[in-house]
Amino acid sequence: MPLLSRALSDECSTDGFYEAQLDEVRPWIIYAAASSERRTRFTVVHEVGHHLLATDACDLLDDIDRLGERHGGAQRVEERVCHGFAGRVLVPRSKVESVLKGSNQLTPEHIEEIFAKTNASFEACAIRALEIVQAPVAVVVLREPGVVGFSAASSRLQGGWWPRGERVQPGGPLDRCFDGDRRAQKDRYRFGMGFEAQLFCDTKMVRNGTLAIAVMSETRSDGRWDPLDPGEPSWKSVERFCAWDNDELDVGWCDQCRGRRCRTCNRCVCDRPQPMTVCPGCGLPEPANPGHEFCNSCVLDGRED
C-alpha cells in the first residue's frame, strides 16, 4: 500500500512502516512511493522483517530487548536486524564475494559494482557488503549535500549507524562529496553524536551526480601509512586541544591537515607554537635562530663567535 504522507522515524532509514493494529484481520505494510523500484523493494522486505519478528520469529524479541539495553534501545537493534534481513534476501553472498575477491578493504566502487550486479538498492548492497567484509567500516549514502540519507556500520565499528537526517562534519569530504570524488581523507563519523569517531573517508558520486556513496574506515584505502598521522581508531578519544590556549579543537575544517580548528583562536594542528629554548648567549628563553645554537639577537650581535 503506497504511503502518501507520514513522518517516519529517522532511526529506520526506510520509507515505510509495519502496522499490525490498523486491521484486525491482517497486518499492513505501508510505504512511500520511492524514486526507484530498488529502494521500494528494500523498504518492503525490511518491513516483512518486522512482520516476521511479530509473528513467526517472535521468540527473538526477548533477545532484542536484552541487546537494546547495551546498544541504544530495542528499536535500534530491531531496525538493524530488519536491515540485515533485507540485505540477505536481496543480495546473494556469492555476488558480494565475486566483487570483493577476498579484499578486506571496502570502497565506494565495490558498492557500485554490487549494485550493478543485483536488483537491490544501494542501501541493501551496503548492508550486505558490511556483513561480509572483515573490517571496522561504515557506509553512508547522501542524497543532498551535508545530510545523511542512509548509514550502516559493521558490527566491528563501535557506536552503530548514523541516523537519517543528521548533519555531517562541515567542510569535510562528506560535506563536499557532490563537488568531486574524495579518497583517504579524514572525516567524523556520527559527527556531534555519541561515539563520534575520526575515520578515513572515500566518496564517489553515482547516478549522474544525484547520489553519493561514502565508505569510512579506520585504515586508509590508498594503502599509505604515515607514522606521524596513522589515524585514530574508533575506540580512542578523538578530542584534541589547541597547543596555544589549550581549548578544544572542535570547529571549522583545515584543508591541509584535515583536522578541526580551535574554537577560540581558530588555529589547527598545523599552527604549532615554535619550541622555546634558553639561549646560551643571553640566557633568555628565545627561539633558536635556524642553523644556530644561539637566538637571533645574539647571532646579530656576534655573541656566537
Side-chain angles (χ1 to χ4, degrees):
M1 174 180 178
L3 173 68
L4 297 179
S5 63
R6 173 165 176 159
L8 300 175
S9 168
D10 288 339
E11 293 288 349
C12 182
S13 297
T14 60
D15 297 324
F17 62 94
Y18 173 71
E19 177 57 66
Q21 307 299 322
L22 186 65
D23 191 322
E24 295 182 357
V25 178
R26 59 181 180 177
W28 288 73
I29 290 176
I30 304 174
Y31 62 92
S35 57
S36 70
E37 292 184 0
R38 292 177 183 240
R39 182 164 171 79
T40 298
R41 192 178 296 117
F42 173 74
T43 295
V44 172
V45 178
H46 173 100
E47 301 307 328
V48 169
H50 284 292
H51 172 67
L52 292 175
L53 285 174
T55 54
D56 292 352
C58 60
D59 56 312
L60 295 177
L61 293 178
D62 289 339
D63 294 331
I64 289 176
D65 287 338
R66 285 192 290 269
L67 287 170
E69 295 176 359
R70 303 195 305 271
H71 298 282
Q75 180 187 0
R76 176 173 294 184
V77 174
E78 183 173 339
E79 293 301 331
R80 295 190 69 170
V81 169
C82 293
H83 275 355
F85 171 76
R88 288 183 178 91
V89 170
L90 297 171
V91 184
R93 184 182 184 93
S94 59
K95 295 286 187 182
V96 180
E97 291 177 341
S98 68
V99 171
L100 293 177
K101 296 181 175 65
S103 173
N104 201 37
Q105 184 70 58
L106 189 64
T107 67
E109 288 75 17
H110 286 143
I111 304 298
E112 187 178 26
E113 188 175 349
I114 296 170
F115 178 85
K117 290 187 173 184
T118 65
N119 289 320
S121 64
F122 281 108
E123 291 86 347
C125 295
I127 290 167
R128 198 68 172 115
L130 289 169
E131 288 181 343
I132 295 174
V133 70
Q134 300 296 310
V137 64
V139 176
V140 183
V141 177
L142 297 96
R143 296 181 174 84
E144 58 179 302
V147 180
V148 175
F150 172 85
S151 173
S154 69
S155 60
R156 296 168 179 80
L157 188 64
Q158 187 178 13
W161 76 77
W162 207 351
R164 178 174 60 179
E166 292 291 330
R167 301 295 302 187
V168 304
Q169 162 73 50
L174 284 175
D175 193 34
R176 296 177 291 174
C177 62
F178 289 99
D179 297 333
D181 298 347
R182 313 282 170 174
R183 188 167 177 81
Q185 296 185 5
K186 283 189 175 181
D187 207 338
R188 302 273 175 164
Y189 181 69
R190 292 177 60 86
F191 171 69
M193 301 178 62
F195 296 103
E196 177 182 307
Q198 183 167 256
L199 303 174
F200 292 106
C201 179
D202 289 6
T203 70
K204 181 175 176 58
M205 289 187 292
V206 296
R207 285 187 173 177
N208 297 319
T210 61
L211 186 143
I213 304 293
V215 173
M216 306 185 73
S217 174
E218 293 180 351
T219 57
R220 301 177 65 104
S221 60
D222 57 9
R224 290 178 51 199
W225 186 80
D226 184 349
L228 299 179
D229 184 20
E232 298 178 49
S234 59
W235 51 263
K236 183 178 178 181
S237 171
V238 295
E239 289 186 358
R240 289 185 175 177
F241 297 89
C242 180
W244 294 87
D245 52 32
N246 205 37
D247 208 343
E248 290 188 47
L249 301 176
D250 61 356
V251 298
W253 188 263
C254 174
D255 285 329
Q256 182 174 343
C257 66
R258 309 296 178 189
R260 305 174 84 174
R261 295 183 178 276
C262 174
R263 63 172 67 176
T264 301
C265 66
N266 203 41
R267 293 183 175 97
C268 64
V269 295
C270 294
D271 304 311
R272 297 184 184 278
Q274 187 175 4
M276 305 294 283
T277 58
V278 175
C279 174
C282 61
L284 296 176
E286 296 286 348
N289 187 287
H292 299 269
E293 181 183 0
F294 292 76
C295 69
N296 187 51
S297 299
C298 290
V299 170
L300 294 177
D301 291 343
R303 299 183 187 179
E304 189 178 25
D305 298 331

